[in-house]
Amino acid sequence: MIYLFVLLLRIVAFLEGTPKIISFIVVFSIIGYSTIKRTPFKDFRKVSKAKLYSFLLIIFILIHGLIFGIVYLRDFAVLLTYWLWFVFTYTYMKEKTLEEGLRYVFFSFLIFNIANYIFFEMYYADQKRGIN
């Protein structure tokens, strides 16, 4: 299931317009449910430094974008989804070994790169040949 999140995040980042918002809501709810299910509520008030710093980084990126450009809802949706994916991955990998973590990184990059290649072949492959 955790590898499916990588593919879904790539699809959310690729889409535009209304399908992006709908896919964001679906992916956000799936990852949110999985994160809440894995988070222990007894020490829910204690926030780790990694989660806090990653959330602050997203806030600074949005503030920077507001000052120097235009921030669209799609940008906020992608950043929020990636932050939630980070929190889920952090809580999921906390009890795993180094080998399991490296295997996850390897397969995640493999899925991400295959998805990028498929998107490129579907929409931009003819540009190399000069076909418009």
Side-chain angles (χ1 to χ4, degrees):
M1 184 73 175
I2 193 166
Y3 297 115
L4 179 65
F5 292 153
V6 176
L7 182 61
L8 292 176
L9 287 171
R10 182 61 194 115
I11 292 171
V12 167
F14 175 74
L15 294 174
E16 291 294 331
T18 306
K20 181 183 224 71
I21 301 300
I22 294 170
S23 63
F24 163 73
I25 291 170
V26 169
V27 172
F28 186 82
S29 60
I30 292 171
I31 295 177
Y33 172 75
S34 299
T35 304
I36 289 172
K37 195 170 90 171
R38 296 194 59 79
T39 303
F41 284 107
K42 59 185 173 189
D43 58 345
F44 188 66
R45 291 172 283 155
K46 298 178 184 178
V47 177
S48 69
K49 289 182 182 179
K51 294 175 190 175
L52 178 65
Y53 291 154
S54 66
F55 185 70
L56 290 176
L57 179 66
I58 289 175
I59 297 298
F60 288 138
I61 289 171
L62 288 175
I63 290 171
H64 180 271
L66 286 172
I67 293 171
F68 295 109
I70 300 171
V71 176
Y72 296 106
L73 181 62
R74 64 182 168 91
D75 302 330
F76 181 72
V78 169
L79 286 174
L80 188 62
T81 307
Y82 273 102
W83 177 75
L84 189 60
W85 173 70
F86 170 75
V87 170
F88 173 77
T89 304
Y90 183 78
T91 57
Y92 181 79
M93 290 292 165
K94 197 178 342 183
E95 299 121 14
K96 303 295 182 190
T97 64
L98 180 63
E99 183 178 324
E100 291 170 329
L102 290 174
R103 187 179 316 123
Y104 169 72
V105 169
F106 172 73
F107 285 121
S108 297
F109 280 131
L110 188 66
I111 291 169
F112 193 81
N113 287 327
I114 289 172
N116 283 342
Y117 178 73
I118 290 171
F119 291 146
F120 173 78
E121 287 295 326
M122 286 172 50
Y123 295 102
Y124 305 109
D126 56 348
Q127 290 180 0
K128 293 186 292 187
R129 298 180 194 98
I131 302 170
N132 290 332

